[in-house]
Amino acid sequence: GNCGSCVAFAAVATLETQMNISRQASWLNPRFSSEALFSCGGGSCDYGWYPSSAASILRSRGVPDESCAPYTMGATGRNASCSSICSDASQRSQKVSQVLTPRNSAGVKEALRRGPLMTTLDVYADFLVYSSGIYKHSSGEYLGGHAVSIVGYNDTEEYWIIRNSWGQEWGENGFGKVAYTDRSGVGQETWGFEVPNAAGFATIRNLRDHDFLAGAVKLDLNSTLSDTSELMVRIKGTTGQESTLSCQAAACQLAFDTTTFPDGRYEAALTAATKGGQVLVERKYFFIANHPQEMQVSFQPVRGVNLERPVRDRIEFDVKAQSALVPLSSLVFTVKQGEKVVQTKSADVVLPTMTVGWRTNTLPNGTYDIYLVGKISAGANQQVAESNHFTVTIKN
């Protein structure tokens, strides 16, 4: 988005995947708060942050779950206050037990056998438009530093496999291949994490933060905590609605009829009952959207951008994306040339007012039609709202 928080995203992505590997549960899929790590660690949207600082904080303080502080800075471009995160963040935080720092190719490859790594790289203009294949810088100016995760390598074709944080529209569904000999410096500085051993864990397997639900659903609960005798999900809305679902087992499916709740934002708190007592295992936030919403989406160029003249480089738009009871589940910046959609850029955290940036140099010079498509998708229910359009001429 509009915030230089790539280090926090790379650190959290690396930790989340390492948790799945270390706990030997690919379905665990924890989500940690990039915003809390960044805001409370000293990062700034204007100048970014340092991977070494992120690694140090993950070891000393850890990072809370996504529900504690959902990511908003990308939409606003403004720093969030550390005081705005949940009051019990320290009790909800996951720490790492050790930070690994392999600094040569052989060490990086050996570390990747255990899990992903965070790394830095220099970004050039041609990296922005990478779509597939093996990337190696060939043209374009230097744009700044960046951080990603390395998730693998290929010695036959000599490339690193990276996971970026620029959305699924970039690269190969958000991933990319970077040549060993690329000048960007991928893999020259890396950080990996080891997580503490755990007696077990429990999760709602089919519910993720920022999900939108409608109708009758089943919550899939699973616990590997020893002697789990009961699993309970406490569902609480922001305006006070509350309900508890439970089962006398370590794994079960619970029927959840969302139509008995008003549309809005909710939190699901999962508790496991064991011989040692009740353990609050995780919290996830979600939205219920069973009814049509009044949706309005509009945008205007920020002050100083004149769309009646040719545009170049990166430009920004002020966006209004409003609905009555729940936010939009996604917002898609859409670019058409004639009748063909030539570019899209999605945001899955949508605020009532936000800023959207567009790098015009990712497209050839020419004239384009641009607009926004807002959606609320919940189960089989889907609503769509289209914004005003602009005709824009790119001349880079």
Side-chain angles (χ1 to χ4, degrees), residues 122-130 134-144 182-184 361-362:
D122 292 330
V123 170
Y124 296 86
D126 55 355
F127 187 76
L128 300 178
V129 296
Y130 166 81
I134 302 172
Y135 170 79
K136 187 175 181 180
H137 170 62
S138 60
S139 64
E141 61 181 338
Y142 169 73
L143 299 177
D182 181 54
R183 67 186 296 179
S184 63
N361 52 356
T362 59

Side-chain angles (χ1 to χ4, degrees), residues 99-110:
V99 177
L100 310 174
T101 56
R103 290 292 187 264
N104 58 59
S105 180
V108 169
K109 292 174 185 177
E110 181 61 31

Side-chain angles (χ1 to χ4, degrees), residues 21 65 69 80 107 191 223 315 335:
I21 295 169
D65 54 276
W191 294 261
S223 173
I315 59 177
V335 184

Side-chain angles (χ1 to χ4, degrees), residues 9 31-35 64-73 86 92 204 206-213 219 233-238 256 264-270 282-288 326-329 348-351:
F9 271 91
R31 291 188 73 171
F32 298 113
S33 173
S34 301
E35 182 147 312
D65 54 276
E66 171 75 5
S67 183
C68 177
Y71 185 69
T72 62
M73 295 183 297
C86 62
R92 297 165 60 166
I204 308 173
N206 60 338
L207 182 66
R208 302 201 71 187
D209 287 302
H210 203 72
D211 274 352
F212 281 68
L213 306 181
L219 301 180
V233 180
R234 181 187 177 205
I235 297 169
K236 187 175 182 179
T238 54
F256 176 33
R265 186 188 190 277
Y266 291 83
E267 183 180 80
L270 175 63
E282 69 174 11
R283 292 183 175 92
K284 295 181 178 180
Y285 78 99
F286 63 95
F287 299 92
I288 291 177
V326 298
L328 276 62
S329 57
D348 61 1
V349 175
V350 184
L351 303 184

Side-chain angles (χ1 to χ4, degrees), residues 5-21:
S5 53
C6 58
V7 167
F9 271 91
V12 163
T14 301
L15 174 60
E16 288 172 342
T17 304
Q18 191 61 57
M19 290 282 290
N20 282 345
I21 295 169

Side-chain angles (χ1 to χ4, degrees), residues 382-395:
Q382 179 167 290
Q383 294 178 249
V384 178
E386 190 171 299
S387 75
N388 53 310
H389 290 230
F390 289 105
T391 299
V392 176
T393 299
I394 295 176
K395 189 176 182 180

Side-chain angles (χ1 to χ4, degrees), residues 111-224:
L112 284 170
R113 297 179 181 276
R114 305 169 67 178
L117 301 167
M118 173 171 55
T119 190
T120 55
L121 71 155
D122 292 330
V123 170
Y124 296 86
D126 55 355
F127 187 76
L128 300 178
V129 296
Y130 166 81
S131 59
S132 64
I134 302 172
Y135 170 79
K136 187 175 181 180
H137 170 62
S138 60
S139 64
E141 61 181 338
Y142 169 73
L143 299 177
H146 188 40
V148 297
S149 291
I150 301 182
V151 298
Y153 64 93
N154 183 312
D155 273 340
T156 302
E157 298 184 70
E158 299 187 335
Y159 62 77
W160 302 111
I161 305 170
I162 65 167
R163 175 193 186 276
N164 204 353
S165 56
W166 290 351
Q168 294 182 351
E169 293 90 354
W170 181 88
E172 300 179 352
N173 201 34
F175 291 80
K177 303 167 185 174
V178 181
Y180 288 164
T181 55
D182 181 54
R183 67 186 296 179
S184 63
V186 170
Q188 292 180 9
E189 286 191 293
T190 65
W191 294 261
F193 309 127
E194 290 189 355
V195 298
N197 293 328
F201 48 86
T203 187
I204 308 173
R205 294 176 60 161
N206 60 338
L207 182 66
R208 302 201 71 187
D209 287 302
H210 203 72
D211 274 352
F212 281 68
L213 306 181
V217 300
K218 289 186 180 297
L219 301 180
D220 187 4
L221 278 54
N222 188 285
S223 173
T224 64

